[in-house]
Amino acid sequence: MGESEQLKRRVDEQLLRLVEQESAELLKVSTELAPLCEQLRGSLEQGKRLRAAFLYWGWRAAGQPDCDGIVRAAAAMELVHAAACTHDDIIDDSRVRHGMPTAHVAFADRAVDSEQGRARPVALAMMLGDLLMGYAGQVFATCGLPGAFIARTVPLWSALLRETVAGQFLEVLRTGDAVPQVAESLEVARYKTAKYTVERPLHLGATLGGGSERLLTAFTAFGLPLGEAFQLRDDMLGTFGDPALTGKPNLDDLRDGKPTALMALTVSLVSEDDRQTLTKTVGRPEFDEGDAAHVRMLMESSGARRKVEDMITERVALAHRALDTVPLPRATYTALRDLATSSANRPL
């Protein structure tokens, strides 16, 4: 088993331990909380653990050794991600994630099965998301690293939460815009995803380890373009991906009128007639597979899909070059290059 697989397994073990401990405590309160325990486990069972990996390698980049404390701190990033996904699924009314019903859908299904007509699945899922975010702070603060190390990360945690909410808020405001703009789409990607996926986990790990300002600057130069590439790839998967492989539908982004760079480029490149067709179909509740096939054709024929692929390639190259601007331990350098390549080049 390689080092990346071992790290993922160790993070998974930390999350499973949390689920078991917290489920036991919740059930002491009331056995009626069993559905919450079930969804808590479901929200943490799967994932690539990218954010945990970036925090871990940020620590190692600062010259610190492997230890259980940094793995627990890294696991906290996956709780942030699970909370963000739970809330995002509510906002988008997404039905499936990782091939399984999302939390609010699962709560609704359970209420129907048990004839609990008064159950409010969206409210229940919101509380699950809040609980996950609370657990993130708890796990990070009690990871076992010295308190002085933890204390110096407080401003970064504040920035991470502020930026993530800002990006999500901007996306909601801009969803359904008749003429999405590439610059605005990239701004949403940067704050909603790029920073909390790559840059801030690296900053948190490096700051825990006493890393220099030079290292943090290099991680910004690495993390922002890579995080944008990650989101651009996610947008491609959300439109062209095979649901059997991605575990989520490929109609939702188009039906919701998400302000992706892919859509913004398409709108800017097609003819006026095609632009009017997009305006009439994208972002409508009745949007169907036939509409999606036509939109995908326009994305291909206009060159928008190719441009997004080029944008991903350019950003990964920028990230790779940023790693050469600061001395890094060989294992860290290799791991970060591999993470950059794999996270931005997930197959459709």
Side-chain angles (χ1 to χ4, degrees), residues 20 46 68 72 105 108 125 144 148 154 168 174 177 204 210 212 223 241 244 263 270 277 285 318 320 330 336:
E20 292 174 345
Q46 300 189 58
D68 289 339
R72 286 192 288 272
V105 173
V154 170
Q168 182 70 76
R174 294 170 183 174
D177 284 355
L204 282 163
S212 66
M263 179 55 68
V270 298
T277 298
L318 284 172
H320 283 166
R330 173 53 55 180
L336 289 176

Side-chain angles (χ1 to χ4, degrees), residues 22-343:
E22 290 301 318
S23 293
E25 293 299 319
L26 287 166
L27 292 173
K28 286 180 184 177
V29 175
S30 172
T31 57
E32 291 182 69
L33 296 175
L36 176 59
C37 298
E38 182 180 331
Q39 287 307 125
L40 176 62
R41 178 180 295 273
S43 67
L44 295 172
E45 277 185 331
Q46 300 189 58
K48 295 175 285 294
R49 310 311 187 202
L50 277 177
R51 294 153 189 85
F54 283 122
L55 189 147
Y56 175 85
W57 288 110
W59 164 269
R60 295 289 299 274
Q64 297 288 357
D66 173 71
C67 66
D68 289 339
I70 195 58
V71 175
R72 286 192 288 272
M77 290 308 307
E78 297 304 317
L79 289 157
V80 171
H81 179 52
C85 288
T86 301
H87 288 146
D88 195 48
D89 290 338
I90 295 169
I91 292 167
D92 297 340
D93 194 21
S94 297
R95 317 299 290 175
V96 177
R97 184 178 288 272
H98 296 307
M100 300 296 291
T102 52
H104 65 288
V105 173
F107 283 133
D109 290 345
R110 188 181 183 103
V112 170
D113 291 344
S114 60
E115 298 182 354
Q116 292 175 324
R118 292 181 294 105
R120 298 173 61 191
V122 170
L124 298 177
M126 285 174 59
M127 287 183 276
L128 170 64
D130 293 344
L131 187 64
L132 286 161
M133 190 62 80
Y135 285 153
Q138 170 194 326
V139 168
F140 191 85
T142 62
C143 68
L145 295 176
F149 289 21
I150 302 296
R152 59 195 181 208
T153 66
V154 170
L156 285 172
W157 271 96
S158 298
L160 181 151
L161 295 173
R162 180 190 316 117
E163 291 160 355
T164 305
V165 170
Q168 182 70 76
F169 202 94
L170 288 173
E171 182 180 67
V172 171
L173 289 178
R174 294 170 183 174
T175 292
D177 284 355
V179 185
Q181 302 296 315
V182 174
E184 291 184 353
S185 299
L186 290 174
E187 182 180 48
V188 168
R190 186 176 308 121
Y191 285 98
K192 180 189 173 186
T193 303
K195 282 178 167 285
Y196 102 89
T197 296
V198 187
E199 183 199 27
R200 292 310 187 190
L202 284 168
H203 282 178
L204 282 163
T207 300
L208 282 170
S212 66
E213 284 297 322
R214 182 184 176 191
L215 180 60
L216 296 179
T217 299
F219 278 160
T220 293
F222 172 84
L224 289 183
L226 178 58
E228 288 181 8
F230 179 90
Q231 183 59 52
L232 289 168
R233 175 62 62 201
D234 209 52
D235 294 342
M236 294 282 277
L237 290 167
T239 300
F240 290 98
D242 179 353
L245 297 177
T246 64
K248 59 182 181 180
N250 58 10
L251 290 183
D252 286 1
D253 285 0
L254 297 174
R255 183 180 291 130
D256 294 341
K258 284 291 185 69
T260 65
L262 175 61
M263 179 55 68
L265 280 167
T266 303
V267 170
S268 71
L269 292 169
V270 298
S271 68
E272 181 58 34
D273 286 346
D274 287 332
R275 190 174 299 119
Q276 290 181 12
T277 298
L278 290 173
T279 301
K280 291 175 182 177
T281 56
V282 173
R284 300 295 188 270
E286 62 272 17
F287 188 91
D288 59 23
E289 185 55 54
D291 296 321
H294 182 65
V295 173
R296 292 185 192 115
M297 181 274 291
L298 291 176
M299 289 174 167
E300 294 271 14
S301 62
S302 68
R305 180 176 181 178
R306 181 69 260 167
K307 283 183 176 293
V308 171
E309 289 288 356
D310 291 343
M311 291 167 70
I312 292 171
T313 300
E314 291 165 3
R315 282 160 173 74
V316 173
L318 284 172
H320 283 166
R321 287 200 292 273
L323 293 179
D324 295 325
T325 65
V326 65
L328 292 171
R330 173 53 55 180
T332 302
Y333 178 84
T334 300
L336 289 176
R337 278 190 66 94
D338 290 347
L339 281 169
T341 300
S342 63
S343 62

